[in-house]
Amino acid sequence: MTDSPLILALDVASTLEAVSLCEKVGDAVGMVKVGLELFVADGPKSVEAVRNCGASIFLDLKLHDIPETVDRAVARAAALNVSMLTVHASGGAPMLERAVARASGEATGLAIVAVTVLTSHTQASLHATGVAATLADQVLALAQLAWQSGVTHFVCSPHEASLLRGKFGQAACLITPGIRPRGADVQDQARVLTPSAAMQAGANWLVVGRPIRDAQDPRAAALAMANEAKEARRQ
Ligand code: C5P
């Protein structure tokens, strides 16, 4: 069992590559994330293969559909024995309530995680979708909606982690993508922080993809980020 607060995003095109990455990083990460690319490519068998490496799984499908459709998809995800599943908070209260009820009814320990505002959004790109609120206000509004619907786990940018921690206290589980080692390329992420700054802001889990996947030595990259995060958690 590892105490690493890292969730490795398995953003690869095949189960073979995913398993190879899992084997390289080993216990330097605490969980792995199967997202859209891998799930569209290989479906549930990718989840099965990754689980056989011993990892807990975060299924990041960012569901956003009518309540009935999401409810039924949550039941299928629960049957895959994954630990966490993402839904978009912007799907609304009836959708979120059905997702939470289904997850708890299936009793497999599946946690529903609400995505607030994607970490690739800037204030301008959010406005362009028709949302007049500031980024922070929109994150808070969506998180409150999800919280009132029974959701306790959130994906948010590390920049909004302290806001949500202040609002919901220790009962909330905060999962933050948009993590980059100091000086690294931010790529398409707009709101990034270092592992230590994200932990200090109140994150429980840090989602990291490209900085580990594309490193020459993925395990060394993961260990360095995990150690920095754990050190910050102790302070
Ligand atoms: O490569 P990088 O570290 O930017 O990967 C971040 C991962 O987190 C990607 O798999 C992306 O889909 C996911 N994610 C995100 N922002 C969110 C939710 C999930 O970047 N709001």
Side-chain angles (χ1 to χ4, degrees):
M1 206 56 188
T2 166
D3 63 345
S4 170
L6 298 193
I7 299 177
L8 170 62
L10 295 172
D11 292 332
V12 292
S14 70
T15 300
L16 213 63
E17 288 169 88
V19 167
S20 155
L21 193 51
C22 286
E23 285 170 349
K24 277 183 199 148
V25 296
D27 63 0
V29 304
M31 206 180 294
V32 297
K33 181 170 90 68
V34 174
L36 288 172
E37 181 184 2
L38 182 56
F39 202 76
V40 169
D42 277 349
K45 81 174 164 65
S46 64
V47 173
E48 201 62 39
V50 165
R51 184 172 327 91
N52 289 340
C53 299
S56 298
I57 297 162
F58 177 15
L59 189 57
D60 185 20
L61 300 183
K62 298 190 179 70
L63 303 180
H64 190 177
D65 211 316
I66 60 170
E68 171 75 6
T69 303
V70 168
D71 180 331
R72 296 176 70 90
V74 170
R76 300 281 68 79
L80 291 176
N81 267 312
V82 297
S83 303
M84 303 200 279
L85 171 70
T86 45
V87 302
H88 271 288
S90 54
M95 188 202 89
L96 294 164
E97 284 163 11
R98 287 276 293 272
V100 170
R102 174 60 61 191
S104 85
E106 295 293 316
T108 58
L110 171 64
I112 296 296
V113 181
V115 176
T116 55
V117 175
L118 293 172
T119 45
S120 54
H121 264 308
T122 60
Q123 189 65 68
S125 69
L126 183 67
H127 278 164
T129 67
V131 174
T134 64
L135 268 170
D137 284 349
Q138 183 66 0
V139 168
L140 202 52
L142 288 171
Q144 266 176 311
L145 183 75
W147 184 262
Q148 284 157 6
S149 305
V151 175
T152 55
H153 291 53
F154 300 93
V155 175
C156 63
S157 133
H159 289 277
E160 282 96 38
S162 56
L163 191 68
L164 298 193
R165 182 64 69 212
K167 189 77 199 166
F168 305 121
Q170 293 308 314
C173 179
L174 304 182
I175 301 157
T176 64
I179 303 298
R180 290 291 178 272
R182 196 171 306 284
D185 187 355
V186 304
Q187 292 141 327
D188 61 345
Q189 296 285 15
R191 291 172 290 139
V192 301
L193 279 185
T194 60
S196 51
M199 295 302 284
Q200 280 154 8
N204 298 94
W205 289 99
L206 311 181
V207 178
V208 186
R210 288 163 289 184
I212 296 174
R213 183 197 67 188
D214 299 340
Q216 272 203 332
D217 182 342
R219 181 170 169 83
L223 279 176
M225 293 177 84
N227 287 338
E228 179 186 327
K230 283 192 278 186
E231 189 54 42
R233 188 165 57 187
R234 271 192 288 274
Q235 282 163 11

